[in-house]
């Protein structure tokens, strides 16, 4: 079976993009495009190093959100992705865009949804005193950080954690969750049914420090 074509949308460092690149060999997906809204995003460099096509669509060059998204759509239509991964893409997408790519558009959020939607998730997790935190790969729906869960990664919150330490621990499981989710969907081992993602592929990642507890 041909590998599924994946486009990755970024705005910054692209460590999740790197994880997707690193796991592509031997998987059911290939990355055919990396698109950034920030011309200086380091993730573009990561893609180039791997020989992946890159495009920059800078939101500041467009009068409004629909025209910015129209240009992104053009790039995506050329690249013909089966799946589109938002990986630290820091622009809110309109319901029209989300609807056009429904069930093919994925996001990774640094919290265990539906807890802590939005920004500053690690600070808010610490302020709430939760004992576990993590990340969620989900299908994108028009509401911010909403949609069927594909994979979640769980980390402990440890005494003495600050937001930076917690973020670094969450990022470790992010880098395992995103390739797992994309490969599961690309292989057909995960499917959308009645508004939920179902299937046999592993959908929970535990931080190594939780294993054996
Ligand atoms: C990650 O924490 C991701 O969950 C969030 O943005 C961050 C992107 O990091 N959506 P990177 O650019 O992949 O390193």
């Amino acid at each position: 079976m041909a590998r599924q074509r994946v486009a990755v949308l970024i705005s910054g460092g692209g460590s999740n993009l790197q994880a997707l690149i690193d796991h592509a060999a031997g998987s059911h997906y290939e990355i055919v495009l990396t698109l950034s809204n920030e011309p200086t995003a380091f993730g573009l460099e990561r893609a180039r190093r791997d020989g992946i096509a890159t495009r920059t669509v800078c939101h500041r060059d467009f009068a409004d959100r629909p025209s910015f998204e129209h240009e992104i759509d053009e790039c995506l239509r050329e690249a013909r992705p089966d799946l589109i991964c938002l990986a630290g893409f820091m622009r809110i997408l309109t319901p029209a865009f989300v609807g056009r790519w429904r069930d093919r558009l994925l996001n990774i959020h640094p919290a265990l949804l539906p807890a802590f939607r939005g920004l500053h998730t690690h600070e808010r997790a610490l302020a709430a005193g939760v004992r576990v935190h993590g990340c969620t790969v989900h299908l994108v729906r028009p509401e911010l950080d909403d949609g069927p869960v594909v994979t979640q990664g769980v980390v402990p919150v440890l005494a003495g954690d600050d937001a930076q330490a917690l973020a670094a621990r969450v990022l470790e499981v992010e880098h395992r969750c995103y390739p797992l989710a994309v490969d599961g969907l690309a292989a057909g081992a995960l499917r959308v049914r009645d508004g939920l993602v179902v299937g046999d592929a592993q959908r929970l990642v535990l931080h190594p420090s939780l294993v054996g507890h």
Side-chain angles (χ1 to χ4, degrees):
M1 197 177 91
R3 293 202 288 167
Q4 295 263 291
R5 299 169 66 82
V6 172
V8 184
L9 271 53
I10 61 165
S11 298
S15 70
N16 277 291
L17 165 67
Q18 188 67 55
L20 287 165
I21 292 172
D22 293 345
H23 286 81
S27 79
H28 297 85
Y29 69 86
E30 61 177 325
I31 303 175
V32 295
L33 174 70
T34 295
L35 184 151
S36 174
N37 67 303
E38 287 292 351
T40 59
F42 180 64
L44 289 171
E45 182 54 32
R46 293 183 193 269
R48 280 186 209 110
R49 273 190 211 155
D50 207 68
I52 296 167
T54 62
R55 298 291 292 266
T56 299
V57 181
C58 180
H59 56 286
R60 292 181 290 272
D61 295 341
F62 296 86
D64 53 25
R65 216 175 277 276
S67 53
F68 166 62
E69 289 181 349
H70 177 77
E71 184 62 23
I72 295 178
D73 268 334
E74 291 293 303
C75 296
L76 290 173
R77 291 221 168 83
E78 270 176 41
R80 294 179 291 106
D82 299 296
L83 295 169
I84 302 164
C85 295
L86 307 179
F89 185 69
M90 299 305 284
R91 307 305 298 170
I92 290 174
L93 296 165
T94 63
F97 182 93
V98 171
R100 278 195 290 282
W101 299 101
R102 189 181 168 91
D103 290 345
R104 294 200 278 159
L105 186 58
L106 294 162
N107 181 42
I108 187 158
H109 180 71
L112 291 170
L113 292 174
F116 309 122
R117 292 185 165 120
L119 296 174
H120 309 299
T121 55
H122 309 306
E123 287 86 345
R124 287 159 58 210
L126 289 172
V130 294
R131 295 292 182 266
V132 292
H133 184 45
C135 69
T136 305
V137 178
H138 63 99
L139 295 173
V140 177
R141 294 291 182 260
E143 289 293 307
L144 185 67
D145 299 326
D146 183 40
V149 170
V150 184
T151 302
Q152 290 190 303
V154 181
V155 309
V157 180
L158 302 178
D161 269 352
D162 58 13
Q164 211 183 351
L166 188 53
R169 197 174 306 123
V170 170
L171 213 45
E172 286 179 52
V173 289
E174 288 189 37
H175 295 162
R176 291 173 52 204
C177 281
Y178 222 164
L180 194 65
V182 173
D183 196 37
L185 290 165
L190 296 173
R191 298 170 303 280
V192 190
R193 193 196 296 152
D194 299 332
L196 292 176
V197 174
V198 298
D200 295 336
Q202 188 193 352
R203 286 179 288 156
L204 177 65
V205 169
L206 296 180
H207 188 266
S209 64
L210 287 174
V211 177
H213 278 230

